[in-house]
Amino acid sequence: MDADFSNKIIFSDEAHFHLDGFVNRQNCRIWGSENPREIVEKRMHSQRVTVWCGFWAGGIIGPFFFENAADQAMTVNGARYRDMIIQFFVPKFQDMDVDDMWFQQNGATCHTAQETIQLLHESFPGRVISHFGDQNWPPRSCDLTPLDFFLWGFLKSKVYVNKPTTTHALKEKIERCIDEIQPHLCKTNLENFDERVSMCQQSCGGHLSDMLFHT
């Protein structure tokens, strides 16, 4: 395999950023520094924004916020995901002036609908890493993607420092923090990705229990 292959992949995913600072552990893992037995009450359905980003060796593509005309977060379904690809991602990708890039996504239903895979093949013929794509992305393997083991947790550690009080302020903070991420940091995390893939291969697809989580 091409030793530089990871630099030719655009990794992609969505995450929720809640206004009260709630962290969805499905999207990131954070080593706790507080007493795990302490009870902290939070509202069950706080205001949030739903963010999509692309991650590659050249930097971050995005953010894109899934929201309606009233700036309220919307559930990501197949139609909305395809609209994002057409109206936001494809123009950004075309401006990148790169060749032979691959596109990676997880197995969420909105990602893997037949119409979505066909749409992705228009920009990435034969180069879609996804369930039902050209190369299958293994299920339940979020610890392998730079967005999950780095980006979402990193952003939330920065975004929630000053505790935004409105979704507008939350979105502005997300945009500023993403703008501050330099390409060299992305390349460092892709080296981490290569290490994780190597360890996954050595363990025959097992858990990365001995992985040193660093960025």
Side-chain angles (χ1 to χ4, degrees):
M1 178 179 288
D2 184 353
D4 199 41
F5 181 62
S6 61
N7 291 327
K8 299 178 181 178
I9 303 174
I10 298 174
F11 298 88
S12 69
D13 204 1
E14 305 91 29
H16 300 310
F17 285 69
H18 289 254
L19 194 57
D20 63 4
F22 171 76
V23 176
N24 182 349
R25 286 181 171 79
Q26 180 66 24
N27 284 327
C28 64
R29 284 138 175 87
I30 297 177
W31 297 107
S33 58
E34 301 176 354
N35 185 349
R37 295 179 178 82
E38 180 180 354
I39 298 175
V40 179
E41 294 186 358
K42 294 181 180 291
R43 290 191 302 171
M44 288 186 63
H45 304 291
S46 66
Q47 289 181 286
R48 71 183 189 191
V49 298
T50 300
V51 186
W52 177 93
C53 283
F55 185 107
W56 74 295
I60 309 297
I61 303 170
F64 176 87
F65 298 100
F66 285 94
E67 57 190 12
N68 58 23
D71 295 334
Q72 298 171 327
M74 297 188 301
T75 301
V76 184
N77 59 26
R80 291 166 183 161
Y81 186 66
R82 289 189 291 276
D83 284 344
M84 181 278 295
I85 292 172
I86 295 170
Q87 300 172 17
F88 178 80
F89 171 64
V90 169
K92 295 279 188 182
F93 174 68
Q94 291 174 340
D95 287 342
M96 287 164 52
D97 191 26
V98 293
D99 297 320
D100 301 325
M101 294 294 291
W102 290 66
F103 183 88
Q104 181 274 340
Q105 61 181 8
N106 64 26
T109 303
C110 61
H111 298 167
T112 58
Q114 182 177 0
E115 299 95 323
T116 304
I117 298 297
Q118 291 175 345
L119 176 62
L120 289 170
H121 275 143
E122 294 178 9
S123 295
F124 303 91
R127 302 189 304 276
V128 176
I129 304 173
S130 169
H131 187 46
F132 301 133
D134 304 289
Q135 293 291 330
N136 189 43
W137 182 255
R140 297 177 295 280
S141 56
C142 59
D143 282 340
L144 289 177
T145 70
L147 292 100
D148 287 306
F149 69 70
F150 164 68
L151 182 63
W152 301 135
F154 177 82
L155 285 179
K156 289 178 181 182
S157 71
K158 301 291 186 182
V159 166
Y160 292 135
V161 168
N162 296 321
K163 299 186 182 301
T165 57
T166 67
T167 55
H168 178 73
L170 180 59
K171 288 188 292 185
E172 285 190 336
K173 185 65 174 178
I174 291 169
E175 290 172 336
R176 286 200 301 271
C177 289
I178 288 177
D179 285 342
E180 293 171 359
I181 296 176
Q182 299 299 314
H184 73 84
L185 186 55
C186 295
K187 291 183 178 179
T188 297
N189 278 279
L190 286 173
E191 293 173 2
N192 194 343
F193 166 76
D194 290 336
E195 293 177 16
R196 289 165 183 260
V197 169
S198 177
M199 292 190 69
C200 187
Q201 291 172 333
Q202 294 172 24
S203 65
C204 298
H207 293 290
L208 306 183
S209 56
D210 296 325
M211 168 61 70
L212 294 176
F213 293 92
H214 59 82
T215 57

